[in-house]
Amino acid sequence: MNEEAAKKLVERHAAKLDIDGKGGLRAAGEGVDKVQLVKAPAEGIPEVVSEYWQIEEVGRALEAGHGPVAFDAERASGFTYSQRAYLVQLRREGAGSFLVDPVRCGDLSPIDTACQKSEWILHAADQDLPCLAQVGMLPDKLFDTEVAAQLLGMEHIGLAAVCEYALGKSLLKDHQADDWSKRPLPNDWLRYAALDVELLIPLRNKLSRALQIAGKAQWAKQEMEAIRLAPPKEAPAEPWRKVPGAGKVRTPRGLEVLKRLWAERDEIARELNIAPTKILRNQAMVAASQAEATSRRQLLAIGAFRERKARTRIANWARAARAAGRTKESDLPERKKPNKRSLPGRRQWAKLRPGSAERLEIIRFCVHSLADELSIWQENLVAPAAQKQLAWQYAPGAEVEQILQSAGARPWQIATVTDLLAEALTEL
């Protein structure tokens, strides 16, 4: 099947779906002539709540409010080892906005209790739910404005961009990369934090209407529920291989140096709650590994280890390097990371399963084309991993629906693409 035939096939299947592309946004009021910059919360900057008795008051206020609850959390990525929340922001109609210091308060159960059975609104919920779970807060229902934006085909899905496009209001975004573990938090940071929940409720209402009009409300519900119920991400078995530049290290001894330096740095970072790269740069570790440095002298021959930040702990790095030098040859890491993927590398497909590479090309073309027709991100229509799984497993007579289901596709995705992909693969 050539691209022209595949395109006609996609158009025919798209026409059968009761989906209006971007029509939902248009009908819900898309197209604002003038964008208003929101510089401050309408009710002023809330006081930061930092005592347990105040948490109980916040819980009572939220319980007296009505409708969904807007949530956000600020971490200190790039500054601290911990990925915990250092500030939690909430807003509910009839209650107002609140800024909560979870470090001082510790127990946020009164807030969690007040918000249960209510819908929680977050933007990019998969980023904030893990740190909210650390302080005992888990939603019963979720609305993710980022997911809604993706399903409605918005090109830019950051919160400020979505608010500007859907509401005609723009937010200041000048403190998102700051060190939120800092105390006391500056007043302009608190203004920024309060603004992050200021527009979430009207934004949710606008996007929800648009999803309903476009026929995508059930899609959104399934996607958001999948995020809400997603298990914690597993830590990689060999995290030191994830260091940027690790692929430049070509020898087993060099990889052992990298492994030992990474472990030493990680232990120090965890103990001090400092981001690892603030203790020793990735480039320094890679350079030492490429040089197979196994002594203090060899480390100091590398410019990055003569920098003050690295030199203050040169004894630690030297100890790790010496341990790498003493490791037996038989115990050194393999040059290539052991392949635990469910599928072989793409280069092997033609040899191991003839036709699979061609199937993947037609699957990708159909998915991308249908996503364009439906005005959604292709990753939302069928995840790339599921596309590969289908291309690899498919054989004449196979059930496309079953393969997609086993690959983790949601019911709405299966219902939307199964007939199209089954016909395309049959005609290939």
Side-chain angles (χ1 to χ4, degrees):
M1 174 181 289
N2 58 34
E3 284 194 4
E4 184 178 351
K7 186 65 176 175
K8 290 181 179 179
L9 180 63
V10 169
E11 291 172 353
R12 179 158 51 84
H13 279 271
K16 298 178 183 177
L17 300 171
D18 188 21
I19 303 299
D20 193 20
K22 286 191 176 182
L25 275 172
R26 286 197 298 271
E30 176 209 340
V32 182
D33 294 331
K34 187 176 180 180
V35 175
Q36 173 192 356
L37 176 63
V38 182
K39 297 182 179 180
E43 300 153 11
I45 303 172
E47 176 189 359
V48 177
V49 173
S50 58
E51 302 293 340
Y52 185 74
W53 65 268
Q54 294 176 303
I55 293 293
E56 292 181 316
E57 287 189 348
V58 172
R60 286 192 288 269
L62 288 167
E63 201 161 7
H66 55 87
V69 187
F71 274 88
D72 190 34
E74 305 296 344
R75 298 178 298 281
S77 301
F79 295 93
T80 63
Y81 185 91
S82 169
Q83 290 300 303
R84 68 170 301 167
Y86 286 94
L87 188 72
V88 175
Q89 306 100 282
L90 308 94
R91 181 172 179 82
R92 191 175 200 181
E93 294 295 338
S97 295
F98 304 92
L99 302 179
V100 178
D101 182 348
V103 179
R104 284 283 304 275
C105 297
D107 182 9
L108 302 188
S109 57
I111 293 178
D112 184 63
T113 300
C115 297
Q116 289 307 310
K117 299 183 180 178
S118 299
E119 181 183 84
W120 294 19
I121 310 169
L122 290 99
H123 190 84
D126 60 335
Q127 296 181 29
D128 287 340
L129 287 180
C131 68
L132 290 174
Q134 287 181 11
V135 291
M137 302 185 70
L138 295 168
D140 284 337
K141 291 181 282 187
L142 173 68
F143 190 96
D144 188 331
T145 50
E146 182 184 71
V147 170
Q150 290 174 323
L151 292 176
L152 289 167
M154 294 188 191
E155 184 177 354
H156 303 289
I157 57 171
L159 178 59
V162 176
C163 285
E164 183 173 332
Y165 187 76
L167 299 177
K169 295 183 178 182
S170 181
L171 294 170
L172 294 171
K173 299 296 290 183
D174 47 359
H175 294 296
Q176 59 194 105
D178 287 327
D179 181 5
W180 287 88
S181 67
K182 180 179 179 179
R183 293 296 184 272
L185 290 168
N187 202 56
D188 57 332
W189 293 22
L190 298 178
R191 180 186 298 108
Y192 158 85
L195 285 173
D196 262 2
V197 291
E198 182 84 1
L199 300 179
L200 277 180
I201 295 172
L203 180 62
R204 176 257 179 227
N205 294 339
K206 182 70 167 287
L207 297 180
S208 180
R209 288 197 300 273
L211 289 167
Q212 288 282 356
I213 293 167
K216 298 176 180 178
Q218 282 302 312
W219 295 6
K221 183 177 180 180
Q222 290 179 32
E223 289 299 294
M224 295 170 192
E225 186 68 356
I227 293 172
R228 187 182 75 86
L229 298 176
K233 293 181 180 179
E234 293 184 13
E238 296 179 324
W240 51 271
R241 291 189 187 266
K242 299 288 186 179
V243 172
K248 300 176 184 177
V249 183
R250 305 296 185 186
T251 65
R253 185 70 60 186
L255 291 172
E256 182 68 13
V257 173
L258 180 61
K259 175 183 174 182
R260 297 280 185 167
L261 287 173
W262 184 93
E264 186 72 20
R265 185 183 72 168
D266 190 70
E267 184 177 344
I268 295 169
R270 185 191 300 271
E271 182 179 343
L272 300 178
N273 194 27
I274 297 175
T277 53
K278 297 285 184 183
I279 295 170
L280 181 66
R281 293 193 295 131
N282 291 326
Q283 296 94 316
M285 296 196 301
V286 171
S289 303
Q290 287 178 298
E292 296 187 16
T294 56
S295 69
R296 180 190 182 106
R297 179 180 59 79
Q298 290 174 329
L299 288 175
L300 289 174
I302 299 168
F305 280 89
R306 295 195 297 272
E307 296 173 359
R308 187 178 67 173
K309 180 169 63 174
R311 188 160 186 140
T312 55
R313 294 187 174 86
I314 192 62
N316 297 84
W317 316 135
R319 182 171 64 248
R322 285 195 299 271
R326 292 193 297 266
T327 302
K328 296 178 182 179
E329 291 283 342
S330 58
D331 293 334
L332 295 176
E334 297 179 20
R335 282 188 58 190
K336 291 186 178 181
K337 182 179 179 180
N339 185 8
K340 295 185 178 180
R341 295 178 299 178
S342 58
L343 300 179
R346 282 286 310 282
R347 292 180 181 178
Q348 299 174 279
W349 280 33
K351 178 181 178 182
L352 297 177
R353 190 159 296 186
S356 56
E358 291 79 5
R359 287 195 293 272
L360 182 57
E361 290 304 313
I362 195 63
I363 290 169
R364 282 177 168 172
F365 181 85
C366 288
V367 170
H368 280 245
S369 299
L370 184 58
D372 287 342
E373 292 284 338
L374 302 178
S375 293
I376 66 173
W377 288 33
Q378 66 93 12
E379 294 89 346
N380 289 98
L381 184 55
V382 183
Q387 295 178 40
K388 290 181 180 178
Q389 197 74 35
L390 177 59
W392 180 257
Q393 291 188 7
Y394 181 83
E399 292 290 340
V400 170
E401 179 177 350
Q402 291 180 3
I403 297 173
L404 290 174
Q405 189 174 21
S406 67
R410 257 78 72 190
W412 77 267
Q413 296 170 323
I414 294 171
T416 304
V417 304
T418 292
D419 289 347
L420 167 63
L421 296 181
E423 186 172 348
L425 290 170
T426 299
E427 295 183 9
L428 184 63

